[in-house]
């Protein structure tokens, strides 16, 4: 019989509590972590150093929570987009991006999104629910490329700061010695700037942060990103300036280039002024046109001028390579449609 909750995604503290409640010895929690996160078994019966009685009880109350992807689309550039079933009848996507010596998985954290950014296909779907820490980790654990992964970015469907408990639990599993033991430097969490979540993230997580900026002019940003109304960029930047970025943790800003909207040198200059003195970098992203979004891609020469302007004026600026465009795996195109 299948149990009612998933073990995948539970932290050591949560598993210890479970063991105490079930009358299991406390060290069983550590054994569970080993099976879940080091050996990555997909059945409770495979946990052979647990007693038969313990396994039977766990099978009554829980399952591992592993779900295989139901579809994989492969781009001509090697990028792969996986579709996973979650929450009654919904689907989410994760994108595997191999790149010279690196292999990054871009994971989703919500089904749809509440933020409604006008250039984003996910935002158009509305919001259908939060993923659990287990749903998030399953995107890594259940793809054949798990062993190759060097990095994870929380830049798929959803706004991480709007589902922060699950993000913090998932990143704890990824980084703790009882979990996967990854360096936090391998993990980047993105946000459009939801301040309450961001404050907590800065205090409680050591992972890298990427802020989706996209436009330095408040009125223009508000027209693209409704979150600007509730959490204006100047308040987000004030919060980021209070934080000490001199350690290992990195701050970056994502800036998607929209033709005639935010790609001229006047915007570049405002961006430079806005970021002055902040230890950060800017990642420019080529916009991928979609019939569902009323924006066009900037011309390559315009993007190059913008990038050069930033670099000349002391802001480290890179252009992110476009990946997986032919399978709709690029930024802002994840729809989770079966
Ligand atoms: Fe949500 Fe990110 Fe899309 Fe904005 S860009 S609607 S925050 S998924």
């Amino acid at each position: 019989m299948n149990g009612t909750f998933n073990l995948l995604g539970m932290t050591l503290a949560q598993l210890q509590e479970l063991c105490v409640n079930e009358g299991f010895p406390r060290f069983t929690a550590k054994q569970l972590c080993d099976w879940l996160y080091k050996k990555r078994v997909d059945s409770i019966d495979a946990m052979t150093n647990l007693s038969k009685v313990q396994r039977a009880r766990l099978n009554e109350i829980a399952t591992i929570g592993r779900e295989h992807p139901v579809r994989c689309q492969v781009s001509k550039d090697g990028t792969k987009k996986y579709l996973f079933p979650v929450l009654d009848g919904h689907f989410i996507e994760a994108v595997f991006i191999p790149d010279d010596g690196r292999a990054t998985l871009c994971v989703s954290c919500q089904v749809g999104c509440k933020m409604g950014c006008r250039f984003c296909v996910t935002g158009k779907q509305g919001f259908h629910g939060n993923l659990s820490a287990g749903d998030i980790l399953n995107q890594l654990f259940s793809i054949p490329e798990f062993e190759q992964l060097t990095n994870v970015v929380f830049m798929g469907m959803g706004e991480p700061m709007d589902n922060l408990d699950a993000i913090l639990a998932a990143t704890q599993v990824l980084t703790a010695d009882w979990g996967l033991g990854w360096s936090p430097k391998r993990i980047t969490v993105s946000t459009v700037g939801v301040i309450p979540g961001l404050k907590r993230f800065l205090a409680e997580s050591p992972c890298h942060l990427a802020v989706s900026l996209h436009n330095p002019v408040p009125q223009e940003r508000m027209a693209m990103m409704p979150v600007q109304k509730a959490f204006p960029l100047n308040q987000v930047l004030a919060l980021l300036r209070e934080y000490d970025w001199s350690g290992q943790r990195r701050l970056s800003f994502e800036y998607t280039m929209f033709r005639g909207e935010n790609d001229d040198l006047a915007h570049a200059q405002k961006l430079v002024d806005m970021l002055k003195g902040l230890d950060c970098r800017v990642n420019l992203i080529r916009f991928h046109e979609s019939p569902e979004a009323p924006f066009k891609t900037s011309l390559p020469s315009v993007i190059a001028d913008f990038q050069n302007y930033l670099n000349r004026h002391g802001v480290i600026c890179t252009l992110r390579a476009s990946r997986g465009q032919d399978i709709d795996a690029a930024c802002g195109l994840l729809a989770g449609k079966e």
Side-chain angles (χ1 to χ4, degrees):
M1 191 182 96
N2 277 351
T4 52
F5 65 90
N6 294 338
L7 294 173
L8 187 67
M10 289 179 78
T11 61
L12 177 61
Q14 289 167 331
L15 290 167
Q16 281 167 340
E17 195 183 324
L18 171 71
C19 288
V20 169
N21 291 342
E22 292 301 324
F24 298 169
R26 211 176 147 79
F27 68 77
T28 305
K30 191 71 193 346
Q31 292 174 313
L32 284 168
C33 284
D34 283 350
W35 289 113
L36 289 168
Y37 304 129
K38 304 232 187 286
K39 303 192 180 82
R40 298 192 313 280
V41 294
D42 57 9
S43 93
I44 290 168
D45 292 325
M47 300 179 170
T48 47
N49 62 357
L50 269 58
S51 71
K52 270 194 177 149
V53 174
Q54 286 176 327
R55 276 181 270 158
R57 177 59 185 156
L58 283 175
N59 270 316
E60 269 173 30
I61 58 172
T63 53
I64 299 279
R66 290 279 289 273
E67 279 291 344
H68 291 289
V70 292
R71 191 180 68 197
C72 173
Q73 288 170 276
V74 183
S75 160
K76 55 181 189 291
D77 68 15
T79 301
K80 293 181 182 174
K81 184 168 76 167
Y82 286 101
L83 186 76
F84 291 94
V86 286
L87 312 167
D88 318 316
H90 290 290
F91 294 89
I92 51 113
E93 289 171 327
V95 182
F96 173 74
I97 310 158
D99 190 17
D100 291 339
R102 275 164 76 110
T104 303
L105 190 71
C106 176
V107 296
S108 294
C109 68
Q110 294 180 316
V111 185
C113 185
K114 292 179 203 161
M115 300 300 137
C117 303
R118 280 185 61 227
F119 48 82
C120 173
V121 173
T122 307
K124 290 250 166 2
Q125 297 180 348
F127 176 71
H128 302 286
N130 279 325
L131 298 189
S132 65
D135 295 329
I136 293 169
L137 291 169
N138 182 62
Q139 296 167 62
L140 286 83
F141 281 36
S142 293
I143 60 167
E145 295 83 5
F146 174 83
E147 297 285 357
Q148 297 170 38
L149 291 177
T150 58
N151 296 76
V152 170
V153 296
F154 288 77
M155 296 185 181
M157 299 165 68
E159 161 56 42
M161 302 304 156
D162 191 37
N163 186 18
L164 192 57
D165 285 334
I167 301 287
L168 292 175
T171 53
Q172 206 185 330
V173 170
L174 289 173
T175 55
D177 55 1
W178 49 258
L180 297 183
W182 281 23
S183 159
K185 290 189 281 182
R186 295 167 67 179
I187 304 166
T188 302
V189 179
S190 76
T191 180
V192 287
V194 177
I195 288 178
L198 184 53
K199 273 188 187 155
R200 237 188 101 198
F201 176 79
L202 289 173
E204 295 180 30
S205 169
C207 298
H208 292 326
L209 176 70
V211 176
S212 301
L213 198 155
H214 304 317
N215 200 316
V217 181
Q219 287 307 324
E220 294 176 10
R221 187 170 190 262
M222 202 181 304
M224 279 183 179
M225 303 172 69
V227 69
Q228 170 73 17
K229 194 165 182 184
F231 303 114
L233 200 51
N234 59 356
Q235 290 180 20
V236 174
L237 288 167
L239 174 64
L240 295 175
R241 281 182 193 284
E242 284 171 18
Y243 189 83
D244 176 7
W245 295 97
S246 63
Q248 300 269 10
R249 178 183 234 177
R250 240 177 30 205
L251 170 64
S252 58
F253 292 93
E254 308 294 302
Y255 196 99
T256 306
M257 301 291 284
F258 302 104
R259 191 186 305 174
E261 302 276 344
N262 66 348
D263 60 354
D264 60 11
L265 294 187
H267 282 82
Q269 188 194 334
K270 286 197 170 71
L271 194 54
V272 168
D273 292 345
M274 182 171 249
L275 300 181
K276 202 166 271 162
L278 198 53
D279 191 1
C280 65
R281 66 176 56 218
V282 171
N283 293 320
L284 298 182
I285 302 165
R286 262 190 219 104
F287 177 63
H288 296 285
E289 292 178 16
S290 137
E292 296 181 58
F295 297 101
K296 294 241 168 294
T297 310
S298 296
L299 298 171
S301 61
V302 172
I303 296 179
D305 289 347
F306 197 96
Q307 184 182 2
N308 288 337
Y309 185 94
L310 262 64
N311 280 323
R312 273 203 323 274
H313 289 82
V315 177
I316 301 166
C317 178
T318 53
L319 173 62
R320 198 190 293 153
S322 302
R323 301 295 301 266
Q325 196 167 357
D326 52 330
I327 53 167
D328 284 353
C331 292
L333 292 184
L334 298 184
K337 288 190 189 125
E338 196 190 5

